[in-house]
Amino acid sequence: MSRFNLSDWALHHRSFVWFLLIVSLVAGAISYANLGREEDPNFTIKTMVISAALPGATVDETLNQVTTRIEKKLEELDELNFTRSVTMPGQAVVYLELLDTTRGPRVPEIWKRVREMMSDIRPDFPQEFAGFQFNDDFGDVYGNIYAFTADGFSPRELRDRVERIRKQVAALDAAGKTELLGEQEEQIYLEFSAARLAALGLNQQQVVATLAQQNAISPSGVIQAGPEQVLVRVGGQFDDADSIAAVNLRVGERFFNLGDVATVTRGYADPPQSLFRYNGQPAIGLQIGMREGENILEFGKALDALMERVAAELPIGIEMAKVADQPHVVDHAVGHFVRALAEAVLIVLVVSFISLGFRAGFVVTLTIPLVLAITFVILDLYGITLQRISLGALIIALGLLVDDAMIAIETMISRLEIGESLESAASYAWTSIAFPMLTGTLVTVAGFIPIGLNSSAAGEFTFSLFVVIAVSLVISWIVAVLFAPLLGVTFLRTYAAHHEHKPGWLRRRFHGLLLWSMRHRWIVIAITLVLFAASVWGMRFVEQQFFPTSDRTEVLVDIVERQNTSIARTRADMDRLEAVLKDNDDVLFWTSYVGSGAPRFVLAMDVPTPGPYMGQIVIQTPDLAGRDRLKALLMDKAAREFAGVDIFVKNLEIGPPVGKPVQYRVSAPDPDKARDAARDLAAVLAGEPRLRDISMDWNEPARVIRLEIDQDQARRLGLTTQDVADTLSALFSGQVVTQLRDDIFLIDVVGRGEAEDRTSLQSIRNLQLRLPNGDGTPLSSIVSLDYATEQPLIAQRNGLPTVTVKAAISTRDQPATLVSALAPAVAEFQAGLPSDVTIAVGGTVESSADSQEPIAAVVPVMLLIMALLVMTQMQSFRLSLIVFAAAPLGLIGVVAVLVPFGVPMGFVAILGILALIGILIRNSVILVHEIQELLHKGRSQWNAVFEASDSRARPILLTAAAASLALIPIARQVFWGPMAFAMMGGIIAGTLITLVFVPALYCAVMRVRPPAPSPDAG
């Protein structure tokens, strides 16, 4: 391998290499333009939602007959992490969570298997079971949302208009899923008067059956009339509410008009399932997704052009507003990062020019766009987009990727200084340092392996960090040995004449420090070990964090009422809260969702289970200062005026969503035990003054009226339990009589009791039941009423009733700090609980641990690869030991920066610290290799250590300066700040460790003795 010299080959094929250089730059520019843009990278939401219904069942019946069967079957799934479920009377919602180690591409096949598993157990359910619904698109993102309000138009007219617009949007080439949001289902209500039915001797069920038969679609035959067929059609179907009201019906021997016993009205679902509002006005939303792999900026332009035309065609009275604009957010975010990248490039250029001089700095400068261009080509080929992670990775890589070029040019200059020709000096790097540089580069890449092989959601979120750094660093080595020699020969013709041979003041001081450390090696080693021990101890003062909150300007407000609350009460409380937003200068606009949460307009959103007791408000503020002021105002309003309502004001999250950061799950076989223990635990948490908004995800029971039927008396009267249940259901909830076919829509015709009857508890006592012979009897003659309570909702995790106690933080403390502070009190509380009641930490702390476990699992692989690379290069246990001894010492600088600046240690910061291991090992490899090279040339051990440390000092210092200063543009960012601070501190400390500790350790391990006469430090 030593016979072939790639640098020399490049110099003998200059035209071809220049051609490759130009092609790389052009291809890089094209690829950069083609790269997709996103705010954050995608990660797979490994959650499937299984909904099932057992109409009429109590919450316990639904739990036992539906939820438990589903959860038990899902236990057979090998990839299952856990199940969580929400069970309500007659309805079960089961969330299936896959293991973090499940790779994203395998998820669709697993969802298919889950459907088959549910199909297998379908016969095991009660005969009243209404079937499953599956949602495996739980992670779908609707990056564009438009709100349409109307003045002078009915909700139906507005819905028809928005549906036409939806079809136009769906026709766009890059459009994905498009759905309407907040449209109200039309219904025709037949409100029967129980008193009038009884007076006429009519049975409501007979009336309903007669209407259904008239409106039925039935084949009427085909007449074969000679050469043609003639279809026969029978009329009589209903076409509007008036045609239903005008019906004259015969029941038995009696004729009557429907209007005599029922009021017929056309309206909308009452009560509604959910509501969507814009600035407090009823609205219909249009949520728009994008097809996977498309460029969101290009799609945004096409969508904006279409919606401009749509807005111009809207009639007076219908207004359109854009309430979610992901293309604009992405454009702003990418532009911000590109500016930060440009700042980092400029910083690296300044460092290069100041430290190397104009010509050498210019050569190093030329390698930067070349490395970036080739990197962009590879990213484009593999579908990596430009987003928060990949652009941040480019900034991190900038300071590292110039290292190889700096070393190559430094080596070339040193050969020029001793009189070698340009070609000989340019090709010398290949024979001397190319392979140590490659080893060092691969070791640095290996430091990021825990990201590349980490299959957790957080790891998938940061995966492009590994790809970008690995690609750019490997490319930087290729550029250093292939293109840098050619650039050096072209631009360094007169450099040697201007080079300063006499060491300057700084270099002389370094010589003194180096010689002192070599002579007092054990003192240096002891000081370093003490500092390392102090840094390990100091880690307890570093706040722990998962991911920071987003720096976007939206404010989200979660509203959760008691679980037995009606949607009307939820809407009224949200109206009171929204009154604060009107005419507030910190509010641009807001959207509110009653009975459901907001659609996932960014991937990192926690989507709650819908229910009439909950709602969410999304508020757009003009800037971060306005966002923070509004948050404080809303939190104060909620605390003062909304007692008993759980209102959580929050920012958007970055990375996998968590919700309230401090959470404890209380599980027990008995729901009452879990609920009681959770209430007591909430009291324990209330003793921590740094927590606020403490709540439980389910708690208070709901009132229930139980009707105990005298079965013997009922049978004597010819009545059954089913007759009673149907009569009550028809009175209070209504039953679908038939359907009106209106264009593409089906409108349910619902028979129910009059408002006075269905909203009064007294109507149960006054209800008349129709007997088979046509006579009536009061309900009270066969039933006795009992008032009781039952849970309106039961949440489970892994098949056990589980109450989650949640809390927000009122100070700047991190969740891990508070969980640690609460640990003794929680442990003492748990010690007093029965053995079958367990408490588990959830929230941010759990999510952080879940994301760090896969990293810890991969760290041995990282260390093994590093050891293999280092041993391959060093071919010596003692030399490898010296190299590896420097790896963990970067922690000294990390703690020295994080503690005084109060910077938390987050998931991304941990990745940066792991990467420091590779950076420190890289520098040590190159230094120790240089010592061995000088020994082979006949230097004494002492002089070899001194000269190698001296010659490697400048490129190591330059790389450290470039790498640390290049992090400044992202150090002030919320997401990258902790990693930038950690890496800057680690790189600065690591530089001193490489240049002072490693020579001292080498002298100690290899037993290097100073010569009798003091060597000339100059």
Side-chain angles (χ1 to χ4, degrees):
M1 204 167 187
S2 59
R3 296 178 182 176
F4 176 75
N5 188 320
L6 182 61
S7 301
D8 186 62
W9 179 89
L11 296 175
H12 287 87
H13 299 81
R14 298 190 186 188
S15 296
F16 180 66
V17 175
W18 276 112
F19 170 77
L20 292 178
L21 189 151
I22 295 169
V23 167
S24 297
L25 289 173
V26 173
I30 296 172
S31 295
Y32 175 77
N34 288 338
L35 284 172
R37 269 71 167 171
E38 296 178 289
E39 180 185 14
D40 289 312
N42 283 324
F43 58 91
T44 306
I45 302 290
K46 300 170 186 175
T47 305
M48 185 181 198
V49 185
I50 304 172
S51 302
L54 185 64
T58 66
V59 68
D60 289 333
E61 290 170 339
T62 309
L63 181 68
N64 295 329
Q65 298 298 327
V66 180
T67 309
T68 301
R69 296 181 195 275
I70 295 173
E71 290 175 334
K72 185 177 179 180
K73 185 63 177 179
L74 291 177
E75 290 173 2
E76 301 175 10
L77 194 67
D78 293 336
E79 297 84 357
L80 176 67
N81 186 9
F82 63 88
T83 59
R84 55 187 177 93
S85 62
V86 177
T87 305
M88 293 163 280
Q91 183 181 1
V93 181
V94 179
Y95 294 85
L96 162 63
E97 303 278 355
L98 299 181
L99 289 168
D100 281 341
T101 52
T102 307
R103 293 290 180 182
R106 292 191 56 223
V107 171
E109 184 271 329
I110 296 172
W111 297 155
K112 181 179 178 182
R113 259 194 293 146
V114 170
R115 281 184 165 88
E116 292 171 352
M117 292 169 69
M118 294 300 102
S119 178
D120 290 342
I121 62 172
R122 176 63 180 84
D124 298 338
F125 286 84
Q127 61 182 8
E128 298 87 358
F129 181 63
F132 300 103
Q133 285 186 332
F134 301 94
N135 179 9
D136 54 10
D137 298 327
F138 190 63
D140 281 353
V141 177
Y142 297 95
N144 294 273
I145 302 176
Y146 291 84
F148 295 83
T149 57
D151 183 7
F153 291 83
S154 69
R156 168 60 188 273
E157 291 170 325
L158 180 60
R159 181 185 66 175
D160 291 346
R161 172 71 64 167
V162 178
E163 173 62 24
R164 289 196 293 271
I165 296 171
R166 187 200 66 78
K167 291 179 180 178
Q168 292 177 264
V169 172
L172 293 175
D173 291 338
K177 291 180 67 174
T178 57
E179 292 183 0
L180 268 58
L181 174 69
E183 75 274 28
Q184 298 303 304
E185 291 187 11
E186 278 192 288
Q187 291 188 340
I188 295 176
Y189 288 108
L190 311 180
E191 295 187 348
F192 292 95
S193 167
R196 278 185 283 173
L197 282 173
L200 292 172
L202 297 173
N203 186 326
Q204 181 177 327
Q205 299 301 321
Q206 293 175 306
V207 177
V208 165
T210 304
L211 290 173
Q213 291 166 3
Q214 177 176 337
N215 196 47
I217 298 178
S218 300
S220 307
V222 179
I223 300 174
Q224 303 294 333
E228 63 177 310
Q229 295 180 338
V230 179
L231 304 179
V232 179
R233 291 285 181 258
V234 176
Q237 288 83 12
F238 306 130
D239 53 15
D240 57 26
D242 292 338
S243 65
I244 297 176
V247 168
N248 290 311
L249 298 175
R250 175 181 175 180
V251 176
E253 298 300 322
R254 306 198 57 180
F255 283 88
F256 63 94
N257 183 269
L258 184 60
D260 294 336
V261 293
T263 302
V264 183
T265 57
R266 182 166 180 164
Y268 300 90
D270 177 30
Q273 292 294 312
S274 62
L275 299 169
F276 170 62
R277 301 183 298 187
Y278 173 73
N279 285 348
Q281 294 179 272
I284 291 180
L286 174 59
Q287 48 190 12
I288 303 165
M290 185 186 72
R291 261 197 331 217
E292 189 175 351
E294 297 289 344
N295 187 317
I296 194 168
L297 298 184
E298 295 300 321
F299 175 60
K301 292 177 183 176
L303 181 61
D304 286 343
L306 171 62
M307 298 310 279
E308 282 181 13
R309 296 195 300 271
V310 166
E313 297 170 359
L314 289 176
I316 296 174
I318 295 181
E319 300 290 336
M320 180 183 77
K322 183 187 290 186
V323 298
D325 188 358
Q326 190 72 359
H328 172 74
V329 173
V330 170
D331 191 29
H332 175 76
V334 171
H336 182 73
F337 269 102
V338 169
R339 285 193 298 274
L341 179 61
E343 291 173 12
V345 170
L346 183 61
I347 289 171
V348 172
L349 296 185
V350 170
V351 171
S352 301
F353 281 120
I354 292 177
S355 58
L356 298 175
F358 178 77
R359 286 182 176 271
F362 182 65
V363 173
V364 173
T365 298
L366 290 178
T367 63
I368 295 175
L370 186 57
V371 173
L372 292 178
I374 300 174
T375 301
F376 287 143
V377 172
I378 296 175
L379 295 184
D380 191 23
L381 289 174
Y382 283 91
I384 303 294
T385 58
L386 292 181
Q387 24 73 5
R388 186 193 306 271
I389 303 299
S390 59
L391 285 167
L394 285 173
I395 295 171
I396 294 168
L398 263 180
L400 304 176
L401 61 84
V402 297
D403 190 16
D404 289 337
M406 282 184 173
I407 294 173
I409 297 302
E410 273 282 325
T411 303
M412 184 175 179
I413 292 171
S414 67
R415 305 306 295 181
L416 289 174
E417 288 175 349
I418 62 175
E420 286 192 6
S421 65
L422 281 167
E423 286 78 7
S424 178
S427 60
Y428 179 76
W430 176 266
T431 58
S432 61
I433 59 167
F435 293 100
M437 281 197 313
L438 177 59
T439 300
T441 298
L442 294 178
V443 166
T444 306
V445 171
F448 291 89
I449 281 177
I451 308 172
L453 299 182
N454 178 8
S455 58
S456 69
E460 190 177 355
F461 182 75
T462 55
F463 177 73
S464 56
L465 180 69
F466 169 74
V467 175
V468 170
I469 289 181
V471 168
S472 60
L473 291 187
V474 172
I475 295 299
S476 73
W477 180 84
I478 297 173
V479 168
V481 297
L482 180 64
F483 295 106
L486 179 60
L487 295 172
V489 168
T490 305
F491 297 105
L492 290 182
R493 295 184 184 281
T494 59
Y495 183 85
H498 298 287
H499 194 73
E500 188 67 47
H501 295 277
K502 186 178 180 181
W505 176 86
L506 182 62
R507 192 172 182 185
R508 290 198 303 272
R509 294 295 176 273
F510 171 68
H511 287 173
L513 175 62
L514 177 60
L515 288 170
W516 184 89
S517 67
M518 291 170 64
R519 288 194 179 96
H520 303 86
R521 63 201 72 177
W522 294 111
I523 295 176
V524 172
I525 293 171
I527 292 173
T528 305
L529 292 178
V530 168
L531 290 174
F532 179 69
S535 66
V536 173
W537 175 80
M539 277 297 295
R540 68 180 62 188
F541 301 107
V542 178
E543 294 271 9
Q544 301 297 308
Q545 186 185 60
F546 182 35
F547 281 105
T549 57
S550 174
D551 52 1
R552 287 179 55 155
T553 55
E554 290 94 343
V555 173
L556 273 66
V557 185
D558 293 341
I559 298 99
V560 181
E561 307 264 2
R562 287 186 282 268
Q563 276 77 34
N564 63 337
T565 302
S566 67
I567 195 170
R569 172 60 185 270
T570 305
R571 176 171 54 187
D573 281 342
M574 291 181 66
D575 286 341
R576 286 200 295 137
L577 188 62
E578 289 179 53
V580 181
L581 306 178
K582 295 177 180 177
D583 302 321
N584 190 311
D585 293 337
D586 290 326
V587 177
L588 296 179
F589 60 84
W590 76 92
T591 53
S592 53
Y593 307 82
V594 188
S596 67
R600 199 188 293 271
F601 59 89
V602 293
L603 189 58
M605 273 192 68
D606 188 19
V607 180
T609 304
Y613 54 85
M614 56 84 63
Q616 193 171 56
I617 306 173
V618 181
I619 310 161
Q620 182 66 60
T621 63
D623 50 42
L624 294 179
R627 181 193 72 177
D628 294 339
R629 285 193 300 270
L630 183 65
K631 278 184 64 181
L633 175 66
L634 291 172
M635 286 190 291
D636 178 66
K637 177 84 170 177
R640 287 188 294 104
E641 300 181 18
F642 289 85
V645 182
D646 178 23
I647 297 179
F648 179 41
V649 186
K650 62 182 180 180
N651 300 334
L652 284 169
E653 298 180 65
I654 296 176
V658 175
K660 285 188 178 178
V662 177
Q663 298 183 15
Y664 292 88
R665 291 191 303 273
V666 182
S667 300
D670 178 29
D672 291 334
K673 270 189 178 181
R675 189 182 65 241
D676 294 343
R679 273 203 298 262
D680 294 338
L681 177 60
V684 173
L685 299 189
E688 171 54 67
R690 290 171 290 180
L691 295 180
R692 63 175 176 85
D693 299 336
I694 300 172
S695 63
M696 298 159 59
D697 61 347
W698 58 283
N699 181 13
E700 296 188 20
R703 288 183 294 178
V704 174
I705 298 177
R706 299 188 184 278
L707 278 67
E708 297 297 336
I709 301 176
D710 184 339
Q711 296 293 343
D712 293 335
Q713 177 66 12
R715 289 191 180 92
R716 278 195 292 269
L717 296 173
L719 295 174
T720 65
T721 301
Q722 183 71 48
D723 294 331
V724 176
D726 288 345
T727 302
L728 291 170
S729 176
L731 173 65
F732 293 109
S733 300
Q735 64 180 136
V736 177
V737 176
T738 183
Q739 289 181 316
L740 196 74
R741 292 167 283 278
D742 186 357
D743 195 25
I744 64 171
F745 303 105
L746 289 174
I747 300 174
D748 287 340
V749 179
V750 179
R752 65 181 183 180
E754 290 184 326
E756 184 179 351
D757 292 331
R758 68 175 186 274
T759 57
S760 170
L761 297 178
Q762 189 62 32
S763 60
I764 294 181
R765 296 183 180 276
N766 299 332
L767 183 63
Q768 293 287 318
L769 296 175
R770 300 305 305 168
L771 301 178
N773 62 6
D775 295 335
T777 186
L779 178 65
S780 56
S781 67
I782 63 168
V783 304
S784 59
L785 273 59
D786 181 29
Y787 296 93
T789 61
E790 68 178 34
Q791 281 296 332
L793 177 151
I794 294 178
Q796 292 199 146
R797 185 181 174 97
N798 286 334
L800 282 177
T802 301
V803 181
T804 303
V805 183
K806 306 178 181 181
I809 301 174
S810 58
T811 62
R812 297 179 66 88
D813 293 281
Q814 296 297 325
T817 302
L818 289 170
V819 170
S820 297
L822 287 164
V826 173
E828 182 182 355
F829 172 75
Q830 185 166 12
L833 294 175
S835 58
D836 58 353
V837 180
T838 60
I839 299 176
V841 177
T844 300
V845 173
E846 181 185 43
S847 297
S848 180
D850 289 344
S851 297
Q852 290 173 22
E853 284 177 9
I855 293 178
V858 178
V859 166
V861 177
M862 175 193 80
L863 296 176
L864 178 62
I865 293 174
M866 286 181 172
L868 180 62
L869 290 168
V870 171
M871 197 65 188
T872 302
Q873 181 63 47
M874 296 290 103
Q875 300 287 316
S876 164
F877 282 106
R878 287 196 293 174
L879 295 179
S880 298
L881 173 65
I882 294 169
V883 169
F884 266 106
L889 300 179
L891 187 66
I892 297 171
V894 171
V895 176
V897 170
L898 296 187
V899 172
F901 285 97
V903 179
M905 173 79 74
F907 179 81
V908 180
I910 291 173
L911 301 180
I913 292 171
L914 290 174
L916 279 174
I917 295 174
I919 295 171
L920 294 180
I921 291 178
R922 168 198 174 91
N923 288 338
S924 300
V925 164
I926 295 175
L927 174 59
V928 173
H929 176 269
E930 182 70 9
I931 295 173
Q932 297 306 107
E933 285 293 306
L934 292 174
L935 288 174
H936 292 156
K937 292 179 180 179
R939 304 287 201 283
S940 66
Q941 281 188 314
W942 183 266
N943 286 337
V945 174
F946 177 81
E947 290 181 24
S949 301
D950 180 39
S951 64
R952 290 298 100 206
R954 188 157 79 155
I956 288 175
L957 284 169
L958 294 182
T959 302
S964 56
L965 293 176
L967 293 169
I968 291 176
I970 60 172
R972 55 182 180 267
Q973 294 185 2
V974 172
F975 182 80
W976 288 109
M979 184 181 197
F981 274 94
M983 290 192 71
M984 283 192 286
I987 289 170
I988 293 170
T991 301
L992 292 174
I993 288 165
T994 304
L995 296 177
V996 177
F997 170 78
V998 172
L1001 183 63
Y1002 186 95
C1003 291
V1005 172
M1006 307 303 290
R1007 298 175 182 174
V1008 178
R1009 303 293 179 187
S1014 178
D1016 183 7

